């Protein structure tokens, strides 16, 4: 059987691309080497981490907030196997959803490792060693990314773990050392902190979350510090001695200097992710990669080889599931002769800690560096009625608007539910809206979203509740 399109990898990039292409009338095959579809995101990433963040947040709430609200319960007890089962149930439900969607859209599934033998040919080898070759008009590579390793430190996924092992620990570590103060370190650090671990984050830079608006990052670090996170900034881990019962972790100043040894039960290595192209046959097919090992594509996701395209974590850009999904739709539409397009200026990003941190568009630092004159409006949740009555007043909303045109260039929120609230800013920015548009949009009372309207009003120094 010859296909119009064969997609390698069924993560958020691959499975969405397959569905959109099928909707557009293409005959589509997908190739996946993992036992279940959904890729990193669904199996060992976004979904399991959010299940544990949800469960651990409720655990903490039951211990600290219920009594304050007049709900008397005995001190919550952790049943970690049950919490892990809750996580698995969430994964399985979503995995079944993708299986259903593949059937519904008449997409053929090939299980095994896909190797590109050249334009129009993908060889699939199953885990039993059986091989078959798919003939296909086009190929989309959606092979995702893998954990970045730290030289000299071996990940055993038991005591020295990547995010994958940190999602399946069998008991709460007494002391968890997180290498890397990025998104994974702070989300999974939050999970284990809430469940009782002491958490120390060792970060190479002098701040958390590089790329995040500086003012937000400062507030975020302060808030996490209050929760009990310990930070060793401008520091690096140079070795982990696993020979004893406790791990001995060598920590050095990033700039060099005297090392100290910290003891830990578990070390989580979370220093970023790297594109995954191993065994894809890119060299044989003549597909070029860039200096960072990413598949090189043009503005239409086409590689240097006709008929071969790539999307998601394996190409340039933020390693986010929704970025992969939007590229998936765009490339399917391009293959169908339509004008598929992704607006990279409006890709929201969310950190699902408590409080959440969400942003879309430019940071103040980026605007300054680009020499763009801007006005800033800021509104604290402390002055928001709903936040006050819910007793969750940490954080603020910041709206950055072009000084000349008032067009909104960036919105940054730190506070509970920030990840849901950011989307009104994304829609506004997609339509090229101004802070005046946002300020004149009626927002329901009492909602946390009123803080977004107030921040927009604050751009012209006319916030009402401040
Ligand atoms: P992947 O999801 O990595 O899928 C690639 C698939 O290709 C895999 O299933 C792999 O087995 C398969 N594959 C690779 N090579 C072959 C081959 N040769 N043959 C057959 N199959 C192959 N992003 C967010 O937006 N929000 C979050 O909350 C979030 N949380 C995360 C939490 C963690 C702990 C991690 C690790 C990541 C998180 N991410 C999150 C990032 C997100 O998971 C990725 O951006 C997303 O999965 C990328 O999608 P993708 O389709 O490009 O690749
Ligand atoms: P990251 O890039 O977010 O953070 C890595 C951190 O490690 C950085 O702060 C970096 O300065 C630091 N670092 C690098 N080398 C170091 C070293 N040797 N010692 C100490 N610190 C070092 O990477 P992370 O957290 O591993 O996540 C990978 C990607 O997964 C993210 O970039 C993101 O795209 C995605 N992700 C997204 C989530 C979300 O959207 N909520 C959640 C989790 C992951």
């Amino acid at each position: 059987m010859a296909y119009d399109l064969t997609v390698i990898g069924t993560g958020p990039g691959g499975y969405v691309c397959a569905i959109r292409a099928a909707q557009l009338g293409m005959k589509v095959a997908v190739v996946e080497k993992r036992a279940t579809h959904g890729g990193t995101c669904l199996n060992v990433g976004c979904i399991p981490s959010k299940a544990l963040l949800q469960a651990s947040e409720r655990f903490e709430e039951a211990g600290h907030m219920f009594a304050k609200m007049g709900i008397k319960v005995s001190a919550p007890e952790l049943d970690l196997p049950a919490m892990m089962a809750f996580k698995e149930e969430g994964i399985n439900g979503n995995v079944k959803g993708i299986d259903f969607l593949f059937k519904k859209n008449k997409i053929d599934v090939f299980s095994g490792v896909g190797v590109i033998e050249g334009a129009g040919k993908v060889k699939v080898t199953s885990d039993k060693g059986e091989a078959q070759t798919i003939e296909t008009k086009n190929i989309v590579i959606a092979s995702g990314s893998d954990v970045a390793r730290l030289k000299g430190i071996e990940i055993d996924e038991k005591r020295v773990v990547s995010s994958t092992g940190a999602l399946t620990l069998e008991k709460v570590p007494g002391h968890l050392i997180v290498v890397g103060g990025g998104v994974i370190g702070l989300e999974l650090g939050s999970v284990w902190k809430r469940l009782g671990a002491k958490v120390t984050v060792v970060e190479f830079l002098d701040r958390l979350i590089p790329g995040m608006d500086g003012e937000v990052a400062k507030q975020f670090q302060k808030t996490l510090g209050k929760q009990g996170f310990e930070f060793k900034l401008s520091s690096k881990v140079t070795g982990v001695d696993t020979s004893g019962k406790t791990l001995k972790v060598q920590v050095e100043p990033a700039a060099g200097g005297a090392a100290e040894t910290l003891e830990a039960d578990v070390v989580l290595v979370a220093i970023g992710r790297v594109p995954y192209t191993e065994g894809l046959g890119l060299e044989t097919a003549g597909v070029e990669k860039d200096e960072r090992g990413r598949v090189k594509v043009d503005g239409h996701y086409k590689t240097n080889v006709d008929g071969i395209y790539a999307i998601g974590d394996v190409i340039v850009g933020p390693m986010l599931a929704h970025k992969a999904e939007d590229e998936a739709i765009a490339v399917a539409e391009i293959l169908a002769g339509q004008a598929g397009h992704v607006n990279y200026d409006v890709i929201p990003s969310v950190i699902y800690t408590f409080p959440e941190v969400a942003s879309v568009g430019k940071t103040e630092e980026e605007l300054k560096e680009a020499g763009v004159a801007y006005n800033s409006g800021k509104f604290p949740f402390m002055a928001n009625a709903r936040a006050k009555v819910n007793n969750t007043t940490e954080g603020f909303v910041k709206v950055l608007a072009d000084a000349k045109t008032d067009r909104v260039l960036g919105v940054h929120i730190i506070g509970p539910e920030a990840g849901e609230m950011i989307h009104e800013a994304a829609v506004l920015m997609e339509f090229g809206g101004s802070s005046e548009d946002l300020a004149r949009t009626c927002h329901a009372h009492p909602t946390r979203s009123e803080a977004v309207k107030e921040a927009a009003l604050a751009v012209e120094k006319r916030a009402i509740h401040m």
Side-chain angles (χ1 to χ4, degrees), residues 73 127 213 452:
V73 289
D127 54 6
D213 185 275
V452 178

Side-chain angles (χ1 to χ4, degrees), residues 318 320 322-324 326-327 342-350 359-361 426 429-430:
L320 296 172
H322 41 284
K323 176 257 193 190
D326 280 12
E327 289 177 345
V342 177
N343 180 359
Y344 290 96
D345 288 334
V346 187
I347 295 190
S349 72
V350 178
S359 67
V360 61
M429 288 170 67
E430 194 62 51

Side-chain angles (χ1 to χ4, degrees), residues 2 15 32 64 75 87 142 215 225 283 332 343 433 436 445 455 465:
Y15 87 78
E32 174 57 58
H64 293 101
K87 175 198 72 177
E215 191 182 10
E283 294 73 21
N343 180 359
E436 188 68 26
H445 178 76
H465 294 91

